[in-house]
Amino acid sequence: MRILGTGGALPSNEVGNGAFSALADTSDEWIVSRTGIRSRRISSGDTALSLARSASERAIASAGIRREDISLVVCASVTGETLTPSLACLLQRDLGLREDNILAFDINAACTGFIYALGLAREFLRPGGYALLVGSEVLSRVTDFTDRSTCVLFGDGAGAVAAEASDGEFHFVSGARGDGESLVIGSIPPAPNPFSAARASPPPPLIRMNGQEVFRFAVESMTKSILCVTERAGLAPGDIHHFVCHQANRRIIESAARRLGAPPERFFMNIERRGNTSAASVPLALDELNASGRLLRGERVVLSGFGGGLTYGAVYMIW
Ligand code: COA
């Protein structure tokens, strides 16, 4: 599989760290030193669908493909507004994609969602077919703005790629470690059910996280999965031109880079201005790297993600 074009979309509302000192007991100094984040975009009306639509339009235009040739739409998100229809189906409608011979579905693998989508697309795409793969999140829908240990971390946004089947080298590795404690976005409140015993009201659907547990998992799984895909390509981390990793914490990326023995400057970072945008993080970072002109055709690229589930994955591809 080969990525032909990328696109990104962000809410216009940029919120600096200072704004969080008024909401929770925190400071710019703490946030920058522990995470690398200085600001993030927060929706003031944008939805996961509206951001996904804008990012997709840009990815399709940058790929130079016809909308009617798209046969696969996969959206990775945990913050769509409806369980069904899926974001992918709503995108099919909004973008005017074809109705027959198309697969359109969402996947929930939290921050690893876009990496899982790439792996799935490789299985489903047939020669001559094109895929639209999107990560889109409005995490401000599920952020507890009174919890200083999580509210400062997240941002909203979307990233998308248009890809085609190709027999170029592509390696994919994925993993899951079911864990209902370390990183949870709460349940959807059930409708009253006359056939079920009364239950306590579920907690509101807000992010709850054990930061230190997730930090350890992140460094370990990122290092392991990046090593795995580079070895499958017969290479060492030092042979990779660009690493585009999930942007959750600057220290996580720096730790993984050290363990891998790869030059830190090859790890693209936009966390300073984006925060953690979950499933949007990797495609948004990829789009920003692509737009910078530093990503050249023929270069070796590794994408890597980890997140709720817990899940992780990595992809090696030639750009
Ligand atoms: N401002 C000020 N103090 C804060 C704070 C904030 N925003 N958030 C937490 N603290 C405090 C804690 O209450 C704790 O205080 P205490 O020592 O008095 O108990 C102290 O800072 C240290 O907390 P700790 O959790 O050990 O900090 P940390 O260095 O592990 O950093 C994270 C916290 C969340 C930034 C870090 O653990 C992390 O990034 N984890 C991974 C999260 C992640 O990637 N999640 C998404 C996965 S997709």
Side-chain angles (χ1 to χ4, degrees):
M1 199 174 65
R2 198 167 80 102
I3 292 179
L4 299 172
T6 64
L10 292 163
S12 56
N13 185 22
E14 182 163 14
V15 178
N17 289 344
F20 287 86
S21 322
L23 299 172
D25 181 13
T26 187
S27 65
D28 178 56
E29 192 279 328
W30 192 96
I31 301 169
V32 174
S33 63
R34 299 292 180 110
T35 71
I37 300 167
R38 291 184 189 277
S39 68
R40 73 289 289 142
R41 300 295 181 94
I42 294 193
S43 164
S44 45
D46 315 83
T47 63
L49 177 61
S50 66
L51 293 169
R53 190 168 48 223
S54 304
S56 299
E57 282 166 348
R58 290 174 189 143
I60 292 168
S62 113
I65 61 170
R66 299 185 314 166
R67 292 182 184 208
E68 55 267 39
D69 292 332
I70 293 173
S71 57
L72 175 65
V73 185
V74 186
C75 284
S77 182
V78 291
T79 51
E81 285 174 73
T82 49
L83 286 175
T84 190
S86 64
L87 276 175
C89 283
L90 296 174
L91 264 187
Q92 180 272 339
R93 175 197 67 189
D94 289 1
L95 296 173
L97 305 185
R98 71 193 195 201
E99 185 176 321
D100 297 325
N101 298 315
I102 192 167
L103 264 176
F105 60 94
D106 289 358
I107 55 175
N108 171 351
C111 310
T112 319
F114 181 76
I115 301 290
Y116 271 35
L118 285 170
L120 281 168
R122 199 260 313 254
E123 301 302 322
F124 284 121
L125 261 188
R126 295 288 167 264
Y130 295 96
L132 177 64
L133 311 175
V134 187
S136 184
E137 302 284 13
V138 178
L139 289 163
S140 52
R141 283 170 61 85
V142 291
T143 298
D144 178 352
F145 286 100
T146 64
D147 176 6
R148 69 177 180 172
S149 67
T150 55
C151 70
V152 299
L153 303 176
F154 299 104
D156 301 334
V161 303
E164 69 174 350
S166 127
D167 45 18
E169 204 177 354
F170 183 99
H171 299 284
F172 168 64
V173 63
S174 61
R177 180 197 294 173
D179 175 339
E181 303 292 329
S182 300
L183 178 47
V184 176
I185 300 179
S187 56
I188 295 159
N193 178 347
F195 305 106
S196 143
R199 286 180 295 167
S201 303
L206 299 175
I207 298 171
R208 296 278 171 241
M209 184 177 69
N210 179 331
Q212 291 186 359
E213 289 270 344
V214 177
F215 194 106
R216 276 191 292 274
F217 172 77
V219 175
E220 176 205 316
S221 62
M222 222 168 103
T223 311
K224 177 171 72 176
S225 56
I226 290 176
L227 263 185
C228 183
V229 288
T230 48
E231 279 172 14
R232 283 188 194 173
L235 300 169
D239 298 321
I240 304 302
H241 295 103
H242 301 280
F243 295 89
V244 182
C245 302
H246 174 43
Q247 309 284 307
N249 186 319
R250 169 177 281 277
R251 290 188 295 135
I252 291 175
I253 297 177
E254 288 170 347
S255 297
R258 267 196 308 277
R259 285 184 183 207
L260 289 162
E265 63 277 11
R266 296 199 197 156
F267 288 73
F268 179 81
M269 279 204 237
N270 64 0
I271 186 161
E272 187 176 344
R273 295 163 291 113
R274 303 286 173 250
N276 177 347
T277 57
S278 191
S281 158
V282 172
L284 198 49
L286 185 63
D287 179 56
E288 290 184 17
L289 176 62
N290 190 22
S292 75
R294 288 193 281 135
L295 185 53
L296 305 176
R297 285 288 168 203
E299 286 190 318
R300 296 182 284 273
V301 178
V302 166
L303 311 177
S304 150
F306 59 84
L310 300 169
T311 53
Y312 67 88
V315 160
Y316 167 91
M317 62 169 65
I318 306 292
W319 189 252

